[in-house]
Amino acid sequence: MAEPSIFTRILQGDIPGEIVAETERVFAIKDISPQAPLHLLVIPKTQEYRDVAALAAGDPSLLAEMITLANDLAAEHADGDFRVLFNTGAGAGQTVFHVHAHVLAGGLGEKSLVGG
Ligand code: AMP
């Protein structure tokens, strides 16, 4: 058995964390170091998938559930518009290898990070 990730430990109540939503297979917490007015992490309850590429290959419907929850939370906690980010690999800044979506919302402005 793999060591429980920091997110699994929060889900299990072993360490503190602010769980803002929970479904059968997915949960969401507030990021401890917010980079936007609303910065949530949407996380599968299973820690089987280390990153979004593994999740997409292994269980695409679970990835879709994460995006649906992100959409619901952006509507509930902000104006409904949001940005999703998956750091994938240490070289891209991933530090927790239990796949999670960063969901950023609230006063992001209209300028995209890339393009337009
Ligand atoms: P990443 O760098 O993409 O792997 O993202 C990991 C995220 O987890 C970072 O944005 C951290 O701020 C966040 N984080 C780390 N520990 C905690 C914690 N105990 N509670 C909430 N968020 C955390």
Side-chain angles (χ1 to χ4, degrees):
M1 267 290 272
E3 285 287 303
S5 74
I6 191 160
F7 301 142
T8 297
R9 292 169 68 203
I10 290 171
L11 180 65
Q12 292 176 341
D14 295 336
I15 57 172
E18 204 172 330
I19 298 177
V20 296
E22 187 172 349
T23 69
E24 199 184 324
R25 297 212 291 164
V26 178
F27 67 109
I29 63 173
K30 287 197 174 166
D31 196 292
I32 204 168
S33 175
Q35 305 297 312
L38 181 71
H39 184 171
L40 303 176
L41 301 174
V42 174
I43 310 162
K45 289 183 175 176
T46 177
Q47 65 173 53
E48 178 180 352
Y49 303 105
R50 61 184 277 111
D51 59 34
V52 68
L55 177 61
D59 192 343
S61 74
L62 183 53
L63 175 56
E65 282 183 43
M66 292 171 68
I67 301 304
T68 298
L69 184 59
N71 186 60
D72 293 348
L73 290 171
E76 186 181 333
H77 295 275
D79 65 4
D81 295 342
F82 64 100
R83 186 172 289 153
V84 170
L85 184 96
F86 289 92
N87 292 323
T88 305
Q94 186 175 4
T95 57
V96 180
F97 292 88
H98 171 172
V99 61
H100 52 282
H102 293 262
V103 179
L104 307 167
L108 298 174
E110 292 173 14
K111 181 120 179 63
S112 171
L113 280 177
V114 290

